[in-house]
Amino acid sequence: MKANCTPRKSAQCMALLASFVLIFAARSNAQSATPDISGFWELRYWSRNIPKATLTPAAANADRQAQAEKEFHAIRWCNHVGVPFMMDDGSPIDVRQSKNEIAITSQSNSPVRHIYMDGRQHPSIDTFDPTTLGNSIGRWSGDTLVVDTMGFNDAGLNAIPGGGVRGENSHLIEQYKLSGEGRKLQVTFTWIDDKMFTKPHTYAFMYEKLPSSTTAREWLCDPMDGARARFLIDPPQPPK
Amino acid sequence: MNRISIELSIARVVLSLGSVLLAAGTLGAQSPHQDFSGFWEPKYTGGSGAFSDVFGKVDRAPLVPGLPPMQRPSGEHPAYGAKDPVDGSACRVLAFPFFMTSSPPFDILQRDDEILIVSEREGGSRHIYMDGRSHPSDVEHTSNGHSIGHWEGDTLVIDTVGFLGFAGVPGGGRRGPNTHLVEQYKIVDSGEHLTVRFSWEDPAIYTKPHSYTLNYYKMPKDTYAFEDPCDSGNAKEYQSVNGVSVIGATSVYRQDTPPAKSPPAPAAPVK
């Protein structure tokens, strides 16, 4: 269609052009923007959808007493708890999203999770020292953040919700998606480990957002705290 | 002003707004500030653990005369406040500013509303609130304190209060619950170096602000964080704290009481 912009109609023509620019700019911004999942997020009593994992025979027959003692040691001596425990430790997680990286901090005794968003691949498993958090890389698939983690060890609190434990053979894929006008964050966890599960084990958490004025707290785990040690070690006593 | 002129003016404003939005979208909404993001490390040319490269450049702290030696138990001194579990022994948290002088790098995540400085060492991460908030009047005292930041040109200025008591500061200084720290972060040498000017203020500890500058080197973009595990329940080097065994179920109880000269008898088993 040929524009018919005479001097008399110049204002209307400029307004038309401006509208096109405004619409194009808005669409351009909308397309380039990714959701911002930053904030403090906490789980509620209804926030866990955890089916029972389908374990391999070897995993199903694992020594439960040894696992219980291992977990007690990790708690008693303030070991790093690691993934997946830090994502559900009874206190809010703090997610901070920047251009090249997303950090997830918890108030339990865990280092910060680094999710690298700069397009890198996992480091070679031959040179990477396994950790309780593993090595995480992320990408956006539409409005969903997909995080791929490998390079785990079995240290800390390694029990997986629904059954099984984290170890060096574990591969975790997480999907983060906002809902409820940004007030809810659903994280779907899928663990893949052919020594642990007969099929990938998937469960989901739904976090609720806390106010933006929330302040990070510092949680010091002191293995020399006598009262803490006493509480953990001594069996609770009934009233005399 | 006639109707056409008014329409023309409105159209110009809309056109300008659209252009600005378009530019912002095209540039990825880049922050106007310096970008400190990435891993930074102090370099020790003397080898691992050779802290002379750092501490050799720090002037002695102008301490108030009469302060007790830092290593001596000093929980009652008003400058220190109560002792806190941040002395680094037995996997306790390593108090700030230790990780800023420790050899592992730290990672900076930068947002307009907050900057995170993440350590690999025990001690967690520093949250620098950039959203204009003030320090809370009832600040919760922590190892890293409560930090707020703002920009002065290309310099990031961080103001921190609310430290837990009793921790060392380079130059023979120390920090207490009332200590105030001002840091100035600046990128130099085309982004290859980060300089941080520290200035510690506390009339109970220093006769004047204790200031020094440390330099950090940018690490490659593919750097990833290590994990620094610490298990005081296993490691032999942590089996003794202040000469007191901490292995076992009962020995830790004595942390609430003065150190005994000889190890106490094990607690009787519960019947």
Side-chain angles (χ1 to χ4, degrees):
Chain A
M1 186 174 68
K2 184 178 179 181
N4 185 22
C5 289
T6 63
R8 185 182 178 86
K9 295 184 177 178
S10 60
Q12 288 90 334
C13 286
M14 191 171 285
L16 191 63
L17 177 62
S19 300
F20 280 132
V21 170
L22 199 57
I23 292 168
F24 181 70
R27 287 191 62 180
S28 174
N29 276 339
Q31 287 170 355
S32 64
T34 52
D36 186 358
I37 62 172
S38 298
F40 286 87
W41 300 92
E42 71 173 1
L43 294 170
R44 302 288 167 79
Y45 74 92
W46 50 264
S47 292
R48 300 162 185 84
N49 186 339
I50 307 173
K52 188 176 181 182
T54 308
L55 300 177
T56 62
N61 293 322
D63 186 343
R64 294 184 181 179
Q65 179 63 26
Q67 176 67 18
E69 291 175 1
K70 177 180 176 298
E71 292 183 0
F72 179 80
H73 179 95
I75 294 169
R76 165 66 189 87
W77 295 103
C78 299
N79 294 173
H80 291 165
V81 295
V83 170
F85 185 85
M86 68 163 286
M87 301 295 289
D88 182 14
D89 70 353
S91 54
I93 57 170
D94 181 15
V95 181
R96 294 296 151 187
Q97 178 176 331
S98 69
K99 186 175 58 179
N100 294 323
E101 190 177 342
I102 295 173
I104 302 179
T105 67
S106 77
Q107 292 179 27
S108 54
N109 195 37
S110 174
V112 174
R113 284 190 76 184
H114 299 255
I115 299 167
Y116 304 106
M117 302 291 295
D118 54 2
R120 70 176 70 181
Q121 300 297 309
H122 290 297
S124 168
I125 204 70
D126 295 329
T127 57
F128 183 75
D129 289 328
T131 63
T132 63
L133 301 177
N135 180 271
S136 298
I137 53 177
R139 63 182 172 82
W140 288 99
S141 176
D143 58 359
T144 301
L145 170 67
V146 181
V147 179
D148 187 292
T149 305
M150 53 185 298
F152 288 112
N153 62 21
D154 65 354
L157 297 179
N158 64 337
I160 295 172
V165 294
R166 162 197 16 105
E168 293 202 7
N169 199 46
S170 299
H171 178 198
L172 172 63
I173 299 173
E174 294 157 283
Q175 296 167 281
Y176 293 71
K177 187 173 183 179
L178 292 172
S179 62
E181 298 179 341
R183 305 305 306 170
K184 289 180 168 58
L185 174 66
Q186 178 166 329
V187 184
T188 303
F189 303 81
T190 298
W191 291 87
I192 303 166
D193 182 343
D194 57 6
K195 293 180 181 175
M196 189 62 56
F197 307 111
T198 59
K199 62 179 183 179
H201 172 47
T202 299
Y203 59 92
F205 292 164
M206 182 170 275
Y207 298 85
E208 293 251 354
K209 194 165 193 177
L210 293 175
S212 59
S213 58
T214 303
T215 299
R217 300 191 67 190
E218 200 173 80
W219 192 86
L220 302 179
C221 185
D222 183 3
M224 303 305 140
D225 181 338
R228 177 180 177 279
R230 192 178 299 119
F231 170 77
L232 290 171
I233 294 167
D234 290 344
Q237 298 296 316
K240 292 179 181 177
Chain B
M1 185 178 283
N2 59 33
R3 183 179 170 185
I4 290 178
S5 297
I6 293 171
E7 287 177 353
L8 205 54
S9 299
I10 293 172
R12 281 176 178 151
V13 170
V14 172
L15 192 59
S16 301
L17 178 62
S19 301
V20 168
L21 277 173
L22 191 59
T26 304
L27 296 174
Q30 288 182 342
S31 169
H33 304 298
Q34 288 266 26
D35 186 3
F36 292 79
S37 300
F39 286 84
W40 300 89
E41 67 168 349
K43 282 189 177 177
Y44 302 104
T45 55
S48 177
F51 292 97
S52 59
D53 285 12
V54 170
F55 298 125
K57 299 171 184 172
V58 177
D59 291 336
R60 297 300 299 173
L63 296 179
V64 168
L67 280 181
M70 194 174 64
Q71 296 301 326
R72 202 171 68 187
S74 50
E76 299 303 318
H77 194 281
Y80 304 145
K83 284 192 73 176
D84 61 73
V86 289
D87 60 5
S89 62
C91 302
R92 287 169 163 176
V93 171
L94 294 160
F96 182 83
F98 183 82
F99 84 72
M100 301 290 286
T101 55
S102 183
S103 53
F106 53 81
D107 184 20
I108 298 181
L109 277 83
Q110 182 171 333
R111 295 168 50 85
D112 286 341
D113 59 353
E114 187 176 334
I115 293 174
L116 267 181
I117 304 179
V118 182
S119 164
E120 289 180 5
R121 304 302 299 264
E122 300 282 342
S125 52
R126 298 183 67 193
H127 296 253
I128 320 298
Y129 301 106
M130 304 290 294
D131 55 2
R133 72 179 72 180
S134 302
H135 294 300
S137 56
D138 58 344
V139 65
E140 183 179 33
H141 288 247
T142 59
S143 174
N144 288 315
H146 184 273
S147 299
I148 53 178
H150 69 274
W151 294 96
E152 292 182 3
D154 57 359
T155 301
L156 169 66
V157 181
I158 299 176
D159 189 292
T160 304
V161 299
F163 291 111
L164 278 171
F166 194 58
V169 168
R174 60 204 70 174
R175 44 142 248 228
N178 297 316
T179 301
H180 174 209
L181 170 65
V182 177
E183 296 158 279
Q184 295 168 292
Y185 288 65
K186 194 167 186 177
I187 287 179
V188 296
D189 298 337
S190 303
E192 291 304 307
H193 296 146
L194 169 68
T195 68
V196 182
R197 178 78 173 163
F198 298 81
S199 188
W200 299 86
E201 301 172 9
D202 190 334
I205 298 176
Y206 304 110
T207 57
K208 62 179 182 179
H210 173 42
S211 302
Y212 54 90
T213 300
L214 299 180
N215 300 313
Y216 302 93
Y217 296 75
K218 187 76 180 272
M219 298 193 72
K221 286 185 176 179
D222 60 353
T223 300
Y224 56 82
F226 288 0
E227 209 169 293
D228 188 22
C230 185
D231 188 348
S232 56
N234 279 343
K236 288 183 178 178
E237 59 264 39
Y238 297 117
Q239 288 185 3
S240 173
V241 174
N242 298 326
V244 179
S245 170
V246 296
I247 294 296
T250 59
S251 57
V252 294
Y253 288 3
R254 286 179 294 114
Q255 289 297 309
D256 290 340
T257 58
K261 291 183 179 178
S262 59
V270 177
K271 295 179 180 177

